[in-house]
Amino acid sequence: MNILFVCTGNICRSPTGEAVLRRMADAAGLGDAVAIDSCGTHAYHVGQPPDARARAAGERRGYDFSGQRARQAAIADFDRFDLILAMDGGHFDRLRRAAPAGRGDRIRRFLEFAPGAGRRGGARPY
């Protein structure tokens, strides 16, 4: 299984998702069976490591961000990844528009996998 997390610039939300899932996969003994990556819908931060604040928050919780560098989503990602997790509705819409024919079903909203994680006040999570 190949899983891709996608946010805007690939320096906070998507690299955090990547780090968390990577640790979960390793803990479950699935590290070799699951390929996990992240990218952004925009090229704002290509080549940069995750944001220092996101790294600090994650590292305090034991997550590893080493080796991560921001990159922009590419057409090849739609073939390489079985599951593409958009971190919000805007990313979801942008990815759906960019997806080649027959590849849009790989794109899902991240919060579909977090029942009950909606915003305060009961608003829809995306």
Side-chain angles (χ1 to χ4, degrees):
M1 174 67 101
N2 298 323
I3 302 170
L4 180 66
F5 291 88
V6 183
C7 70
T8 303
N10 192 213
I11 60 166
C12 54
R13 290 174 288 176
S14 58
T16 299
E18 176 186 347
V20 169
L21 185 57
R22 189 176 309 283
R23 186 170 91 183
M24 292 174 71
D26 287 344
L30 299 171
D32 293 333
V34 180
I36 305 162
D37 197 2
S38 63
C39 66
T41 57
H42 293 76
Y44 301 138
H45 304 286
V46 168
Q48 295 178 15
D51 180 83
R53 295 163 295 183
R55 278 195 329 267
E59 288 168 353
R60 280 194 306 271
R61 292 163 178 85
Y63 297 109
D64 179 13
F65 293 82
S66 60
Q68 289 189 9
R69 293 287 182 263
R71 71 175 186 87
Q72 187 175 16
I75 293 296
D77 290 331
F78 293 100
D79 288 322
R80 179 174 170 219
F81 293 95
D82 304 301
L83 181 59
I84 299 172
L85 294 172
M87 299 309 278
D88 69 27
H91 305 129
F92 178 83
D93 293 341
R94 182 177 278 278
L95 289 164
R96 294 284 295 197
R97 286 190 304 270
R103 295 293 188 258
D105 62 330
R106 297 169 184 234
I107 305 162
R108 306 277 297 275
R109 290 176 175 89
F110 174 72
L111 287 181
E112 286 181 43
F113 298 91
R119 296 180 192 165
R120 284 181 242 151
R124 287 177 43 104
Y126 42 82

